[in-house]
Amino acid sequence: MKPATVLCGIGAWLPPRVVTNEALSTYLDTSDEWIRTRTGIRERHIVDRGMSTGDLAVEAARRALKSAGGEAADLVILATSTPDHPCPATAPDVAHRLGLVDVPAWDLAAVCSGFLYGLSAAAGLIANGAAGRVLLIGADAFSTLLAPNDRNTRAVFGDGAGAVVLRAGDPDEPGALGPVSLGSDGSLRELITIPDGGSRHPAGADRYFTMQGKSVFRHAVERMTESASEVRRMAGWAPDEVDCFVAHQANQRILQAVSERLRIPADRCAIHLDRAGNTAAASIPLALADASASGQLQPGHRTLLAAFGGGATWGAATLVWPDVTPHFV
Ligand code: UT7
């Protein structure tokens, strides 16, 4: 029988600089009231000049490896859409800085769905024997790519990183990953984009991140609801058997709309965005670490994950929460 994928360690890290809604309102045409009521966000953490996604990833990964007992990983996947450089990938440098010698390491770009895409890739590699212990990191520093005066994105995004260690194990063990469902629709590519700087328009000047928020909101609710329902059914769980719903932390109104459609009570929904904003690929592992540290997420809990992001990409997965100690900030 092929081995199952088991989560055995989790770590997370937020850069120390906190930007509150009030602080944002001093230089942007926005207000604490607008941001809180439209998104649920109160503050976000932002990298200082010179700090990169790779730096965030190393901090979270160190904590995840420690949480997993300190044993080295034999493969590294870094889910990010804000790499340190367009080339090479950031993951080999992160692996090197962690002292992981000669391990395969690569970046995975699926924007806010990156962590779930990474879980699926790791599970496949573990199942076919290509890896025995995978370090999966979700890290993004979108603040470095936002237009200084764009209140639509500046109000929402924050920087951060979360990481998990996944090992080969048994499907009945706590920590075992259940069904995963992934999807994409490239016809929606312009809803979330950095128009220039890639191979299509290498010399273009439009290098800031843009998002058509209203349209993204609608698609996010629809796709996260569909994929989360699908994996919940595949896992054989009734709606009221989901103990904790940990979705991509983009907007509290999205979380509310999706959990209502899934018939999951609000108190089973993990909320971390109030303190970190939308941290893209980092948001699910950050929310998992936070929910586990606060006791909302307990060993044995049936945990449902879902995400939607640029591409468009989306995905969902189930997991029975293991007895791990999260290492967080
Ligand atoms: O992580 C990947 C997936 N991303 C998401 O899922 C994000 C999904 N989208 C959203 O979360 C929301 O669309 C936003 C938070 C980005 C925007 O909220 P919204 O409720 O959709 O606002 P809107 O864009 O429809 O704008 C409503 C009004 C507009 O004013 P008018 O035209 O009604 O006068 C905007 O100009 O609010 C204005 N507005 C703001 N006002 C103060 C937009 N952003 C702001 C702001 N502060 N930061």
Side-chain angles (χ1 to χ4, degrees):
M1 205 176 68
K2 288 185 173 173
T5 292
V6 175
L7 191 154
C8 62
I10 181 159
W13 198 72
L14 291 164
R17 191 167 137 221
V18 175
V19 178
T20 61
N21 293 346
E22 286 85 358
L24 265 188
S25 321
T26 61
Y27 51 88
L28 270 186
D29 182 14
T30 189
S31 66
D32 173 52
E33 211 248 328
W34 192 95
I35 301 173
R36 262 191 302 105
T37 54
R38 304 303 292 172
T39 72
I41 297 164
R42 286 190 284 114
E43 59 189 33
R44 71 285 295 137
H45 292 242
I46 300 292
V47 290
D48 281 319
R49 191 181 292 270
M51 184 184 283
S52 73
T53 294
D55 298 334
L56 302 175
V58 166
E59 293 292 346
R62 278 205 181 107
R63 287 162 172 78
L65 289 166
K66 211 165 164 191
S67 157
E71 199 180 314
D74 57 20
L75 191 143
V76 177
I77 301 175
L78 172 59
T80 187
S81 298
T82 57
D84 288 6
H85 306 278
C87 179
T90 305
D93 184 46
V94 169
H96 166 73
R97 291 169 64 187
L98 293 167
L100 301 172
V101 179
D102 292 347
V103 300
W106 67 87
D107 291 2
L108 187 162
V111 199
C112 301
S113 311
F115 183 76
L116 290 184
Y117 271 59
L119 268 184
S120 177
L125 291 159
I126 287 173
N128 73 19
R133 205 169 172 90
V134 177
L135 173 63
L136 169 62
I137 313 163
D140 269 308
F142 267 101
S143 73
T144 59
L145 299 172
L146 305 181
N149 56 358
D150 183 3
R151 65 181 182 176
N152 185 40
T153 54
R154 287 238 166 241
V156 172
F157 284 90
D159 304 328
V164 295
V165 178
L166 304 159
R167 63 164 171 79
D170 186 277
D172 298 326
E173 276 185 78
L177 184 68
V180 182
S181 163
L182 303 176
S184 78
D185 178 357
S187 73
L188 302 177
R189 66 190 171 276
E190 278 167 18
L191 294 185
I192 291 179
T193 185
I194 298 173
D196 296 338
S199 60
R200 190 170 295 286
H201 300 294
D206 199 354
R207 291 180 182 232
Y208 287 127
F209 175 89
T210 64
M211 178 172 74
Q212 296 176 33
K214 245 189 176 27
S215 194
V216 171
F217 192 115
R218 226 182 37 247
H219 289 291
V221 171
E222 201 176 299
R223 293 302 193 174
M224 286 205 285
T225 304
E226 271 171 21
S227 51
S229 304
E230 186 189 347
V231 295
R232 179 192 55 71
R233 278 195 303 270
M234 286 163 77
W237 300 348
D240 65 357
E241 289 177 329
V242 174
D243 297 305
C244 196
F245 179 47
V246 185
H248 169 51
Q249 306 279 301
N251 186 318
Q252 185 146 7
R253 290 185 297 132
I254 295 179
L255 297 181
Q256 198 178 335
V258 175
S259 51
E260 276 168 12
R261 282 164 175 74
L262 294 172
R263 289 184 284 134
I264 296 173
D267 63 354
R268 296 190 188 178
C269 194
I271 304 282
H272 184 246
L273 56 78
D274 54 330
R275 288 151 288 151
N278 180 345
T279 55
S283 96
I284 289 181
L286 270 166
L288 284 170
D290 179 62
S292 171
S294 74
Q296 181 185 12
L297 191 52
Q298 299 274 345
H301 269 174
R302 293 187 188 92
T303 308
L304 180 61
L305 313 177
F308 181 89
T313 55
W314 59 85
T318 69
L319 178 72
V320 175
W321 193 248
D323 190 3
V324 285
T325 304
H327 288 237
F328 195 8
V329 183

